[in-house]
Amino acid sequence: MAEVIKMQAVNFTSVEEIQRFSLWAIKSLASRRKMSFEDYCVITQEDLEDIKDSISTQDLPSAINTIKEYLKQQDLVELNVGVTGESGSGKSTFVNAFRGLGDEEEGSAKTGPVETTMEPEVYLHPKYKNVKVWDLPGIGTPKFKADEYLEQVEFKRYDFFIIIASERFRECHTQLAKEIMRMGKKFYFVRSKIDFCITAEKRKKNFDEKKTLDIIREDSENGLRKIGIEDPVVFLISGWELGKYDLNALEERMEKELPQHKRRVLMLALPNITLEINEKKKKALEENIGKVAFLSACVAAIPLPGLSITADLAIIADELRKYYSAFGLDDPSLQRLCERSGKTVEELKSLMKSPLHQGINPSSILTLLGAASLLISEDAIELLVSFIPIVGSLVAGGLSYLTVSRMLKRALNDIADDARNVLIASLETEV
């Protein structure tokens, strides 16, 4: 194969010929490994154009630094969530649940039947320190003034507000909503402690949970209309059972109304407690595969023995750790899940089919992907063709890009499936 590449690489007269030859070479190498070219392609045409632009306008070190800086900055995007409501409405419990914590865990917000928050208090997400959930002072005082309150809590720093009521929404809630709207920010009405309502209604004959939820939602929205809110939307939430009721609808609304660069932050930070969130996390993580593979492609163009295979494994391992953390399959997250579900860690891990749950290392990565021989042969071919002027870098880089893309795509699918199985088991839900 290398001889063919050398023979055909000598008489190019245009960049277009070089690009066509590179594509042919990559397809040929893929074919020799009995893999279809399409199997590699997990990236959109738009992604490929972005990468092409990076290569055409920068030298190799600059291109590498550009992608690294992009990935770094992506993880530093801040999301600030303000949670407010009357005393005893369940603000602090929601703050904890949003971050995947119980009320008595280390780092949780203080909870109680009386107001425990006198000043805005920030709580960092246990995994994503750039996600800050703010427990704001209660709003139910007789002299409450929405404009003064928002100035007191430093209104500008929040991306959106959650306005919580455990019973009926009152004038203080609507005053605050109108002032937030006037200042151009988003807010969401949340009716909390829905689990208490359901428990009480279960004592009645002919209990129907869906009908009960519809009545509560309609009553809350009608109450808001009467005190001046047009077309209100109320989300029914239980801080103790966050995955039930309207969490998916609330998440979908927040995601839709956030700027694009903050949607990913929100999705990764949410606890993996519904099948819908599980699937959306997968899609959010999938978006980075092209850029991570591009780093591998850049490294593959550097003709140093062993460098590409080492870098590829390091890049993949780092990305896989992010996947496990986002899906809550790391050991601390699994332990918290066991405490809530009554399952044991061993029970949950028995449902995980990926060998990576025993540890992420070069050996387990190669076992998962069944690609030890693929990587070794890739390394040898990359080293050989990378010495060929111009074309060598394109072929070696392209092969590495496609291979790492395919590997990460497969790994992400496996880990997402494991997370789905663990979630179903913890909820004892059949789907």
Side-chain angles (χ1 to χ4, degrees):
M1 183 65 185
E3 290 300 322
V4 175
I5 291 175
K6 286 181 179 179
M7 290 174 61
Q8 298 203 20
V10 293
N11 294 316
F12 293 122
T13 59
S14 70
V15 173
E16 287 73 17
E17 287 183 21
I18 292 173
Q19 291 173 336
R20 284 197 297 272
F21 171 77
S22 300
L23 185 60
W24 167 82
I26 292 167
K27 285 185 175 181
S28 299
L29 291 169
S31 176
R32 286 170 65 86
R33 296 189 178 117
K34 299 180 180 180
M35 296 177 183
S36 70
F37 179 71
E38 288 72 19
D39 285 341
Y40 285 111
C41 296
V42 297
I43 319 301
T44 66
Q45 185 63 37
E46 196 173 299
D47 290 328
L48 293 174
E49 289 299 325
D50 288 343
I51 291 171
K52 179 182 174 183
D53 290 343
S54 297
I55 295 174
S56 64
T57 59
Q58 302 180 63
D59 56 24
L60 184 58
S62 297
I64 292 174
N65 288 334
T66 295
I67 299 299
K68 282 185 175 179
E69 185 62 22
Y70 172 85
L71 295 173
K72 177 183 176 182
Q73 291 302 318
Q74 186 182 55
D75 291 336
L76 294 177
V77 173
E78 274 199 6
L79 184 68
N80 286 276
V81 182
V83 182
T84 186
E86 294 183 275
S87 302
S89 62
K91 293 189 291 104
S92 298
T93 294
F94 182 87
V95 167
N96 294 331
F98 190 90
R99 298 181 301 135
L101 298 176
D103 285 345
E104 297 182 0
E105 292 187 53
E106 183 179 353
S108 63
K110 296 178 181 178
T111 60
V114 297
E115 182 61 46
T116 57
T117 307
M118 306 311 294
E119 296 290 336
E121 191 160 359
V122 63
Y123 293 91
L124 303 183
H125 193 284
K127 295 180 182 178
Y128 303 95
K129 304 305 181 186
N130 52 319
V131 176
K132 302 176 180 180
V133 187
W134 295 79
D135 193 357
L136 304 181
I139 62 175
T141 61
K143 296 182 179 180
F144 173 76
K145 293 183 179 180
D147 56 345
E148 293 179 2
Y149 176 86
L150 289 175
E151 183 178 347
Q152 174 194 347
V153 301
E154 297 184 42
F155 167 85
K156 291 183 179 180
R157 70 179 159 208
Y158 307 104
D159 292 290
F160 59 84
F161 293 83
I162 303 290
I163 303 176
I164 294 181
S166 58
E167 296 178 357
R168 290 183 181 277
F169 288 96
R170 300 192 302 111
E171 188 177 354
C172 59
H173 300 103
T174 59
Q175 284 181 30
L176 185 58
K178 289 177 179 179
E179 189 65 17
I180 292 172
M181 194 161 35
R182 188 183 70 79
M183 294 184 174
K185 293 274 180 102
K186 298 295 182 181
F187 63 89
Y188 306 97
F189 287 118
V190 166
R191 175 76 154 74
S192 64
K193 301 185 180 181
I194 294 302
D195 51 321
F196 293 169
C197 298
I198 294 299
T199 299
E201 289 295 314
K202 279 183 177 179
R203 301 190 184 100
K204 299 179 180 179
K205 293 181 180 180
N206 302 319
F207 166 74
D208 184 312
E209 181 172 304
K210 183 181 182 304
K211 185 177 179 180
T212 300
L213 293 173
D214 288 343
I215 291 172
I216 295 171
R217 187 181 295 105
E218 185 177 354
D219 180 66
S220 297
E221 291 175 353
N222 285 338
L224 284 168
R225 287 189 186 95
K226 290 178 181 178
I227 50 180
I229 298 294
E230 295 182 6
D231 300 320
V233 177
V234 174
F235 299 95
L236 310 184
I237 297 291
S238 164
W240 291 105
E241 300 174 299
L242 190 62
K244 290 187 177 182
Y245 314 119
D246 287 346
L247 177 65
N248 287 323
L250 175 60
E251 176 279 318
E252 187 174 332
R253 184 70 174 266
M254 291 189 295
E255 183 184 13
K256 180 181 177 181
E257 295 181 343
L258 275 173
Q260 185 173 1
H261 68 292
K262 298 207 174 193
R263 293 174 193 166
R264 181 178 185 274
V265 180
L266 171 70
M267 185 49 55
L268 296 185
L270 284 173
N272 198 55
I273 52 179
T274 73
L275 296 179
E276 289 83 357
I277 289 176
N278 188 81
E279 187 61 27
K280 287 187 176 183
K281 280 181 182 283
K282 177 182 171 182
K283 290 180 180 178
L285 291 164
E286 204 169 65
E287 291 174 359
N288 263 1
I289 288 179
K291 295 176 180 64
V292 173
F294 179 55
L295 289 180
S296 171
C298 290
V299 173
I302 303 173
L304 295 176
L307 176 60
S308 180
I309 192 169
T310 303
D312 285 354
L313 291 179
I315 291 168
I316 293 168
D318 185 58
E319 200 67 6
L320 291 175
R321 291 187 186 97
K322 292 180 182 178
Y323 297 169
Y324 266 79
S325 179
F327 284 111
L329 296 181
D330 54 300
D331 287 342
S333 296
L334 285 177
Q335 187 59 50
R336 282 196 292 267
L337 184 58
C338 289
E339 291 170 1
R340 296 170 196 163
S341 66
K343 305 284 185 180
T344 66
V345 171
E346 290 71 25
E347 284 180 280
L348 296 182
K349 283 195 172 184
S350 70
L351 302 169
M352 297 164 63
K353 305 305 180 184
S354 168
L356 291 171
H357 76 271
Q358 298 292 346
I360 297 174
N361 51 57
S363 177
S364 64
I365 293 172
L366 294 176
T367 299
L368 168 71
L369 303 175
S373 61
L374 174 64
L375 273 179
I376 293 171
S377 61
E378 175 194 346
D379 190 58
I381 294 171
E382 285 173 358
L383 178 60
L384 179 64
V385 299
S386 63
F387 284 104
I388 303 173
I390 304 177
V391 180
S393 293
L394 290 172
V395 175
L399 179 61
S400 182
Y401 172 83
L402 295 173
T403 301
V404 173
S405 296
R406 182 177 184 275
M407 293 167 73
L408 286 174
K409 173 72 171 181
R410 179 178 171 183
L412 179 57
N413 286 341
D414 289 347
I415 294 170
D417 285 346
D418 281 350
R420 184 177 187 276
N421 293 333
V422 166
L423 174 59
I424 293 171
S426 69
L427 299 175
E428 296 183 344
T429 303
E430 294 185 2
V431 295

